[in-house]
Every structure is written in structure tokens, then in C-alpha cells.
Amino acid sequence: AATLTATSNDSVFWFETATATQEIASGPSYTTPLLYGIEDYWLEARATIPPPIAQIGSATLTQYYIPCYGFYDYGWSVSIYLASELNFSGEIDTISYYVGNSISNFTMLTQKVYMTHTTSSTITNTNKPDPSSMEEVYVGDITWSGPGEFKIVLQNSFDYNGTDNLLLYWENWDGDYVSGYPNFQYTS
């Protein structure tokens, strides 16, 4: 056996043949099985491409209600993001909001976030949506801090098709009237 080593700033993958499509190992080193003769191994360095980031707006206005209102209990909100604003297709595994005020460790219990594709470009009524036809992407407590961008890593990623608009539905099941809650910046 021998340990082969490669140096690269990118991810390294090891192959048994020059035309193989399935790697036999990944990482900067590979330990071969026992060698009884001359063996050739191939490696490939792949640049890690960062995921697309869709920033919508420039966060110039402030409000308290979307995605959730920290003072009142048991609320919900709906947002629609246009395909032309998102401008990508693929997995959504994180969402973020810009917290406009200075807060630290403000916990909101039992927050639920759902996503679905929609052909609607506007919210046409004030009826509470039915989340049973949506994908639940997050359930749990959120401890807000700010000011600045606040990221929420989703528990279940959403496979966005890049063609339809994206509807994000948020349920606030927190049961406490507590001050010190976040405000959020947005663009009209």
C-alpha cells in the first residue's frame, strides 16, 4: 500500500482510470490497496462554487411585522418573491433578514416557515394560507440579534425551480408579550 498526496486549494477527487466517473476517494490523500505492480491513479481538482445568493432590495425602510412580529403572539405573514428577483434555480437552504435595531438574544418560540412555488405575483386576499400544500422548511425557536443580516439555516432545504415565484409563509406560535423584539428593513 502507498499513500498518495495532492496539494490543491480546491476539492480533490481520486479515480482508478482516466475515464472513470465514480471517484474512489476524495480529499488531499489516498491510501492504495496492496500494490503488486505498477498502478496508475488519476485525480481531479474541482473548484468549489459558492451557492447563489439572491438579495432582494436595499433595506431602506423599517417595519415590525414581516416575517414575524415579536410583540404580539400567534401571528402569520406571507411574502412572494418573484422569479426575476431570485434569478436562480436550486436548493434554498438558508434565508436571511436584515434586523434594523440593536437587539441581543431575543428568542421567539415555535416559529414555523413554509415555502411553495406560485404563479401569483401579488397577495390578493388576507385569508390565512393553508400550509398543508406547502413544504415545511423550519420549525423551532429563533433567537434574533442585530443590527445586521440575520441568517436562518433551514432544517429542510427547498428545491426552487427558478421558473415560478416563491411564496414564503411564516407562522409565529410564540406566546409571550415581551418588548425588545426585532424590526426588519425592507424595500417597497
Side-chain angles (χ1 to χ4, degrees):
T3 299
L4 308 175
T5 304
T7 302
S8 175
N9 291 331
D10 298 320
S11 299
V12 176
F13 299 90
W14 299 86
F15 299 89
E16 288 183 322
T17 68
T19 58
T21 58
Q22 182 65 42
E23 63 262 5
I24 55 174
S26 62
S29 63
Y30 170 64
T31 301
T32 69
L34 286 175
L35 299 173
Y36 297 102
I38 297 174
E39 294 288 335
D40 292 323
Y41 293 93
W42 284 260
L43 60 95
E44 174 179 281
R46 294 184 200 146
T48 304
I49 300 171
I53 296 174
Q55 178 178 332
I56 301 170
S58 56
T60 56
L61 304 170
T62 301
Q63 53 83 31
Y64 289 95
Y65 306 107
I66 295 174
C68 54
Y69 189 30
F71 186 65
Y72 290 141
D73 303 332
Y74 309 112
W76 58 269
S77 70
V78 174
S79 301
I80 293 177
Y81 300 97
L82 303 178
S84 60
E85 294 172 316
L86 297 171
N87 199 29
F88 83 98
S89 64
E91 295 294 315
I92 298 174
D93 62 6
T94 305
I95 57 176
S96 65
Y97 292 91
Y98 194 90
V99 175
N101 56 335
S102 182
I103 61 169
S104 178
N105 297 322
F106 183 85
T107 300
M108 294 181 68
L109 305 175
T110 318
Q111 303 298 293
K112 297 182 178 184
V113 181
Y114 302 85
M115 291 182 180
T116 191
H117 295 103
T118 183
T119 56
S120 297
S121 59
T122 59
I123 298 167
T124 57
N125 64 55
T126 58
N127 297 331
K128 182 181 179 295
D130 177 9
S132 65
S133 63
M134 302 178 192
E135 290 186 42
E136 184 180 83
V137 294
Y138 185 89
V139 175
D141 301 345
I142 296 178
T143 301
W144 298 94
S145 60
E149 181 183 18
F150 184 86
K151 294 182 179 183
I152 301 164
V153 176
L154 303 178
Q155 295 156 332
N156 303 302
S157 62
F158 181 76
D159 188 17
Y160 176 62
N161 65 19
T163 305
D164 293 322
N165 298 325
L166 176 70
L167 185 140
L168 187 144
Y169 172 61
W170 188 297
E171 290 183 342
N172 172 15
W173 287 88
D174 186 72
D176 293 324
Y177 288 99
V178 179
S179 63
Y181 47 88
N183 68 39
F184 304 97
Q185 293 189 331
Y186 71 102
T187 301
S188 63

